[in-house]
Amino acid sequence: QLQASGGGLVQAGGSLRLSCAASGFTLGYYAITWFRQAPGKEREGVSCISSRGGSTNYANSVKGRFTISRDNAKNTVYLQMNSLIPEDTAVYYCAAPVERHWIPSIWADVDEYVFWGQGTLVTVSS
């Protein structure tokens, strides 16, 4: 239902744009959160955007470098990642909560999300 894409190998300081597309699923009804999971680490919330795009949240580690946006007409959410550092290396996932037009009170809590896309790997070389 959700499909993340756009990952790849990039040098430190570079940029990537990830996309989260939906099929058979109206993305515009849902807040969407990007998570990432590095090897040996727990999955962590990166950024969240409300269903209509009016509200966003970011993890402190990516503030000022990453920008989340959405185009509901295209049924797609984006994560623009700039000034990438090796610590950003991870598999990135997009996810949606169970309720429409709702952001969990703890937006980065993985347990609040029931719809998950397969991840896309981002590797940042030093």
Side-chain angles (χ1 to χ4, degrees):
Q1 292 175 322
L2 297 178
Q3 177 67 52
S5 63
L9 174 63
V10 63
Q11 289 188 332
S15 298
L16 282 174
R17 188 176 80 158
L18 306 184
S19 297
C20 175
S23 58
F25 184 90
T26 304
L27 213 62
Y29 289 155
Y30 297 91
I32 297 295
T33 296
W34 285 97
F35 289 85
R36 67 185 180 185
Q37 188 165 20
K41 294 189 176 181
E42 292 187 352
R43 195 166 296 190
E44 63 172 351
V46 175
S47 183
C48 176
I49 188 167
S50 60
S51 58
R52 295 180 177 89
S55 177
T56 58
N57 294 281
Y58 295 93
N60 288 334
S61 58
V62 306
K63 279 181 182 176
R65 300 189 297 121
F66 290 11
T67 302
I68 192 170
S69 63
R70 67 191 303 153
D71 185 340
N72 286 342
K74 295 183 177 179
N75 223 24
T76 304
V77 172
Y78 304 99
L79 185 68
Q80 178 66 43
M81 306 187 296
N82 298 329
S83 302
L84 285 161
I85 58 178
E87 289 75 16
D88 295 320
T89 295
V91 177
Y92 285 70
Y93 302 88
C94 55
V98 63
E99 292 189 29
R100 296 180 176 185
H101 305 298
W102 175 69
I103 296 177
S105 57
I106 303 177
W107 66 267
D109 185 349
V110 297
D111 292 332
E112 298 285 4
Y113 295 85
V114 295
F115 303 110
W116 290 86
Q118 64 182 66
T120 185
L121 177 62
V122 172
T123 303
V124 184
S125 63
S126 57

